[in-house]
Amino acid sequence: RGSFGEGTEVAKGSYVVPDGVAVEELKNYGGHKDLKNKCPDAVRNMLQEKDLFDTYDRFVQSIYDTSQTRSSLMGKWNDAQFVSVLDLFRDDFAARGVRVSLCKRKSGKGTYRWLEFIDVSKLGGSYVPQYDVSNWSGQVIKTCYTKLKFPKGVAVEELKQWGGRKKLKEKVPVHVEKMLEEHDLTSEYEAMVDHVVEAGVGYNSKKWNMGKLKELMEVYKPMFAKKGIEIFVCHKQEYISHGQYGGHWEYFRWIEFVDRAVQPSYQPQRDAETKGQKGFDDGCAVM
């Protein structure tokens, strides 16, 4: 969940938006009816303060009238079509100091969609909605039950690629490589990965020593932070049932490199969800 102490919880508490952001959650199926007929108090208050009722009404009516924004059978949202309609109204909202984003978060627990109405006068550039579907980078981590997506300004590398590899440069993910080059961090990155491999913290693929990994990498924190990059070590684990024969755990681990100039408010996606689970010291640790 986000680091904002006060604010609004969304996606059943998985994410917190700060004060200055009004949220309207969307039902996954047939949500166009509630969007047209209901308006949360926080959104209503912002619309009144910013004199945006007319713009909002035209926006939701357009979503309602545009059948392509949802499937014909179940009424499931079509995100791309929804955003194409939202794009037509962004300038009208922005003229009154409000940014609007369609956000979506997926996990094994389900899919959650919501609209964020961001008061620019209160938050300025200090907050960027990290689940904005218009801002995905194309990077994906596939687990057994879900697909994790990451926004622009965040570069991701799965830890399974690190164990014992000899030719580091050939296997650096494209987004990570680009960020390292832009921030002149290639040498620091290579030293960090060599250190991890030499220390053998991931030789047993089923039992990464997260505590040791964090301790080992701590020395690199100021080097990256000095150049505007914050690092998070993350993991997720999922139990795969074999029915009457029991089951087993699948483990997923990755590093998130966050450009704070682009993503000033970003928090790692798998922090609270994994905290305290079997086999790990911590969930997602800030480096």
Side-chain angles (χ1 to χ4, degrees), residues 102 128-138 150-153 262-263:
L102 171 65
V128 174
Q130 69 183 62
Y131 294 104
D132 184 347
V133 301
S134 300
N135 199 38
W136 292 136
S137 64
F150 299 88
K152 295 173 184 176
V262 180
Q263 288 287 344

Side-chain angles (χ1 to χ4, degrees), residues 8 20-24 38-53 56 96 98 117 119 122:
T8 303
V21 179
V23 172
E24 181 161 8
K38 300 179 180 180
C39 181
D41 289 342
V43 175
R44 186 177 296 277
N45 291 338
M46 183 178 291
L47 296 174
Q48 183 172 358
E49 178 185 345
K50 302 293 185 179
D51 192 21
L52 275 168
F53 273 116
Y56 174 85
R96 297 284 183 175
V98 174
F117 298 85
D119 188 338
K122 291 184 178 180

Side-chain angles (χ1 to χ4, degrees), residues 70-85:
R70 55 198 178 274
S71 66
S72 57
L73 183 61
M74 300 289 289
K76 181 180 180 181
W77 291 113
N78 180 325
D79 298 328
Q81 290 296 324
F82 191 110
V83 170
S84 70
V85 174

Side-chain angles (χ1 to χ4, degrees), residues 29-275:
Y29 300 95
H32 61 292
K33 296 178 182 178
D34 280 352
L35 178 62
K36 181 175 182 294
N37 298 319
K38 300 179 180 180
C39 181
D41 289 342
V43 175
R44 186 177 296 277
N45 291 338
M46 183 178 291
L47 296 174
Q48 183 172 358
E49 178 185 345
K50 302 293 185 179
D51 192 21
L52 275 168
F53 273 116
D54 179 65
T55 298
Y56 174 85
D57 287 343
R58 288 187 291 110
F59 162 58
V60 297
Q61 186 66 52
S62 184
I63 291 289
Y64 186 87
D65 292 341
T66 306
S67 60
Q68 293 91 337
T69 59
R70 55 198 178 274
S71 66
S72 57
L73 183 61
M74 300 289 289
K76 181 180 180 181
W77 291 113
N78 180 325
D79 298 328
Q81 290 296 324
F82 191 110
V83 170
S84 70
V85 174
L86 173 58
D87 285 343
L88 300 176
F89 296 90
R90 289 190 193 277
D91 289 345
D92 291 339
F93 279 105
R96 297 284 183 175
V98 174
R99 286 187 288 123
V100 185
S101 295
L102 171 65
C103 300
K104 179 169 73 172
R105 186 182 194 275
K106 295 182 68 175
S107 73
K109 299 177 182 178
T111 299
Y112 305 93
R113 288 179 177 84
W114 65 93
L115 287 167
E116 292 188 18
F117 298 85
I118 304 164
D119 188 338
V120 178
S121 67
K122 291 184 178 180
L123 293 170
S126 67
Y127 173 74
V128 174
Q130 69 183 62
Y131 294 104
D132 184 347
V133 301
S134 300
N135 199 38
W136 292 136
S137 64
Q139 298 171 97
V140 172
I141 289 181
K142 294 181 180 179
T143 72
C144 298
Y145 295 128
T146 191
K147 182 189 296 183
L148 305 178
K149 296 183 178 182
F150 299 88
K152 295 173 184 176
V154 177
V156 181
E157 179 164 16
E158 293 189 68
L159 283 174
K160 66 181 182 181
Q161 300 172 4
W162 285 29
R165 81 178 176 223
K166 303 297 183 182
K167 298 180 180 179
L168 175 62
K169 291 182 180 180
E170 294 181 8
K171 296 189 177 182
V172 179
V174 173
H175 288 84
V176 174
E177 186 173 36
K178 182 179 179 182
M179 183 178 289
L180 295 173
E181 291 175 352
E182 290 178 347
H183 292 267
D184 191 25
L185 280 166
T186 301
S187 61
E188 290 89 339
Y189 168 85
E190 291 178 345
M192 181 176 70
V193 176
D194 285 344
H195 201 170
V196 170
V197 173
E198 290 169 6
V201 296
Y203 281 168
N204 184 337
S205 64
K206 292 296 183 184
K207 293 182 180 179
W208 275 75
N209 186 328
M210 300 302 284
K212 183 178 180 181
L213 176 62
K214 290 184 296 179
E215 180 180 344
L216 182 151
M217 292 180 68
E218 182 65 23
V219 67
Y220 298 94
K221 173 183 176 179
M223 300 181 193
F224 280 81
K226 184 178 180 180
K227 297 182 178 180
I229 304 299
E230 190 167 6
I231 310 174
F232 297 93
V233 180
C234 305
H235 74 259
K236 188 179 191 298
Q237 63 185 53
E238 297 173 343
Y239 185 75
I240 311 301
S241 174
H242 299 169
Q244 62 178 325
Y245 301 104
H248 73 279
W249 290 97
E250 287 290 338
Y251 303 87
F252 306 90
R253 314 163 192 86
W254 64 93
I255 301 289
E256 297 180 11
F257 299 86
V258 182
D259 184 341
R260 283 306 183 194
V262 180
Q263 288 287 344
S265 55
Y266 181 87
Q267 292 295 309
Q269 293 191 36
R270 290 301 180 267
D271 187 357
E273 281 196 10
T274 54
K275 194 171 291 184

